[in-house]
Amino acid sequence: MLQATHLFIKQILTFGKFQSSQIPKSVLNKLLTEFTNIKNKDVIVIPEFIKKFAKGDWTLIVDETINGKYGLKRITRKFKTLNNGGYCFGYKIVLFLLNKDNLTIPIGFGFYHKDSKSVNEITLNFLKILRNKFKVRPKIFVADGAYDVDKLIKR
């Protein structure tokens, strides 16, 4: 499981054009530890990146990706696949990316599965963590049409 988790973390970091070797070992280990508990949490944050980069004017980009998985019905949801109009069972990874000075950095992610809250609620929880724990807010918020922007902007 840890090896699969490490591969997943590497994949997330590539969204910001990072490599796991660029991240301090202690930060990567904390991230791996947090990820093993993701089924019990809605949101996982990367505090070191938030503290370092979420200063001044920055943009929060929220996007999700559907990951089709078979044989895991106890945690997966049924999703419509847009490319062929069919359905698959899987889960969504909700990515929270910070964009500042032409640099895109993953600062957290959520796991949308069978027992979790909605994607909007996961995003609201992330914004609540940013506001209450780290005392930061993005200047610009970017998300696609799947999100209830009115609720998110009020946060």
Side-chain angles (χ1 to χ4, degrees), residues 131 137 149-155:
R131 185 189 66 220
R137 285 186 174 193
V149 177
D150 290 336
K151 280 186 181 178
L152 297 174
I153 289 175
K154 287 179 185 177
R155 283 286 165 134

Side-chain angles (χ1 to χ4, degrees), residues 37-75:
N37 298 324
I38 196 166
K39 183 140 179 8
N40 303 323
K41 298 180 179 186
D42 285 337
V43 174
I44 294 202
V45 297
I46 307 173
E48 288 78 5
F49 287 175
I50 294 170
K51 290 174 188 172
K52 182 168 183 161
F53 297 106
K55 298 173 183 167
D57 293 341
W58 55 281
T59 301
L60 177 64
I61 302 168
V62 180
D63 199 10
E64 79 270 348
T65 171
I66 295 175
N67 297 286
K69 295 292 176 198
Y70 302 96
L72 298 174
K73 278 197 172 182
R74 68 183 194 285
I75 65 164

Side-chain angles (χ1 to χ4, degrees), residues 1 4-5 7-15 31 34-39 41-46 61-69 72 75-77 79 89-97 106-114 116-120 122-123 126 144 146-147:
M1 173 70 175
T5 301
L7 289 173
F8 175 74
I9 297 298
K10 279 181 158 180
Q11 183 182 358
I12 286 178
L13 293 174
T14 60
F15 287 112
L31 188 57
E34 285 293 314
F35 188 83
T36 58
N37 298 324
I38 196 166
K39 183 140 179 8
K41 298 180 179 186
D42 285 337
V43 174
I44 294 202
V45 297
I46 307 173
I61 302 168
V62 180
D63 199 10
E64 79 270 348
T65 171
I66 295 175
N67 297 286
K69 295 292 176 198
L72 298 174
I75 65 164
T76 58
R77 288 182 179 255
F79 294 107
F89 283 91
Y91 56 86
K92 286 185 182 182
I93 301 296
V94 183
L95 298 170
F96 302 106
L97 305 168
I107 58 172
F109 50 93
F111 186 50
Y112 178 66
H113 54 85
K114 187 176 186 175
S116 67
K117 297 176 183 174
S118 71
V119 173
N120 277 316
I122 290 170
T123 304
F126 182 78
D144 62 22
Y147 296 89

Side-chain angles (χ1 to χ4, degrees), residues 94-107:
V94 183
L95 298 170
F96 302 106
L97 305 168
L98 179 146
N99 183 275
K100 181 179 180 178
D101 302 328
N102 294 324
L103 182 66
T104 303
I105 303 157
I107 58 172

